[in-house]
Amino acid sequence: MIKTVNLNKVFRTEEVETTALNSLNFAVKKGEFLAIMGPSGCGKSTLLNIIGLLDTPSGGEYYFDGVDVAKYKENQRTNLRKGNIGFIFQNFNLIDELNVYENVELPLLALKVKNVERKKKVEEILERMQIGQRKLHFPQQLSGGQQQRVAVARAVITNPKLILADEPTGNLDSANGEQVMQLLEQLNAEGTTIVMVTHSPAHADRAHRIMHLFDGHIVAENKEKFFV
């Protein structure tokens, strides 16, 4: 599903040039669960942004479903993201002015899903994420664990091929973090490909494979778990 060839990302200012990613070569198979680890500033979030088509590389190739999308323009990247990629962020990234139902509904509105089908999908996913009773509440009225369940619901509402999770348990206590990990494992078991950035070795160990980054390089990979 994902393949990069000599992927580079360089950030430049008038005085400083910083290499965030340096000739990365890796692949993620359809249905795989990959965890990415490394110290702060090693390029994890930059890589996730490029994989998620939120940013473009400075050089190299990035293949999504066999198509090189590295040089896609912003409108092309936006169209490809819709319905194909779901995002789960550490800080939830919910819209404070919208209630739970409206936050989860947003991706379906972007895809112009009809009202009846949209209502059915939102109600179903809210119940699945055990947040249906809070559908009229606003994000600030929810606990951290509840907000993250809403964020997961929003990420999966379109049945995306790929879910990108950037420290999805970073702002949660251990109990709520465990619930999020169980949700991710369940989604993966149903066939969704997941790439997760994490600082937690215990959570990374739940993935099929762990890739370690350091200064923009892949320095190690744990391939002990068998995956086909």
Side-chain angles (χ1 to χ4, degrees):
M1 172 174 278
I2 293 171
K3 180 182 178 182
T4 70
V5 180
N6 295 325
L7 193 72
N8 294 288
K9 182 63 179 180
V10 178
F11 294 101
R12 294 182 177 89
T13 65
E14 292 183 359
E15 299 178 353
V16 180
E17 180 175 291
T18 303
T19 299
L21 300 175
N22 196 339
S23 298
L24 290 193
N25 294 281
F26 77 100
V28 181
K29 297 177 182 178
K30 182 179 180 181
E32 190 175 4
F33 189 164
L34 171 70
I36 301 175
M37 299 191 74
S40 296
C42 71
K44 301 187 302 296
S45 293
T46 299
L47 177 57
L48 217 60
N49 285 339
I50 291 175
I51 292 174
L53 301 170
L54 295 174
D55 198 1
T56 55
S58 303
E61 302 166 18
Y62 168 36
Y63 294 89
F64 184 87
D65 264 356
V67 178
D68 187 0
V69 298
K71 295 180 181 178
Y72 266 25
K73 296 179 180 179
E74 185 174 354
N75 64 324
Q76 293 175 298
R77 289 186 280 120
T78 298
N79 289 332
L80 183 56
R81 279 198 308 271
K82 291 179 182 178
N84 286 311
I85 303 175
F87 297 87
I88 305 171
F89 301 96
Q90 178 178 354
N91 294 321
F92 318 132
N93 283 17
L94 301 177
I95 298 175
D96 290 337
E97 293 77 18
L98 301 181
N99 63 32
V100 166
Y101 185 100
E102 292 165 337
N103 265 283
V104 175
E105 183 185 34
L106 275 177
L108 298 180
L109 289 171
L111 290 174
K112 299 180 180 179
V113 176
K114 293 182 179 179
N115 184 57
V116 174
E117 183 182 355
R118 199 168 66 238
K119 184 177 187 296
K120 182 184 178 197
K121 286 180 175 291
V122 174
E123 296 282 0
E124 286 177 349
I125 199 66
L126 289 178
E127 289 303 317
R128 179 179 178 183
M129 297 299 160
Q130 301 178 359
I131 200 73
Q133 73 280 11
R134 300 278 186 175
K135 67 181 180 181
L136 298 181
H137 287 65
F138 290 87
Q140 293 179 345
Q141 297 175 300
L142 305 177
S143 68
Q146 290 170 335
Q147 288 187 62
Q148 194 60 297
R149 288 206 294 277
V150 175
V152 173
R154 182 184 59 188
V156 303
I157 188 72
T158 60
N159 294 316
K161 298 177 181 178
L162 173 67
I163 289 180
L164 301 177
D166 194 355
E167 293 286 355
T169 63
N171 283 337
L172 303 178
D173 59 33
S174 58
N176 282 306
E178 174 61 23
Q179 287 183 359
V180 170
M181 288 305 304
Q182 289 178 0
L183 285 171
L184 291 177
E185 287 180 314
Q186 182 180 356
L187 291 166
N188 179 245
E190 294 169 359
T192 305
T193 305
I194 297 177
V195 177
M196 176 183 70
V197 164
T198 182
H199 279 106
S200 168
H203 290 165
D205 193 51
R206 309 271 281 268
H208 298 133
R209 179 163 57 105
I210 305 173
M211 186 171 78
H212 297 267
L213 292 185
F214 186 78
D215 285 349
H217 294 274
I218 299 172
V219 294
E221 284 194 68
N222 178 346
K223 297 184 179 180
E224 293 181 359
K225 292 189 178 181
F226 181 74
F227 173 78
V228 176

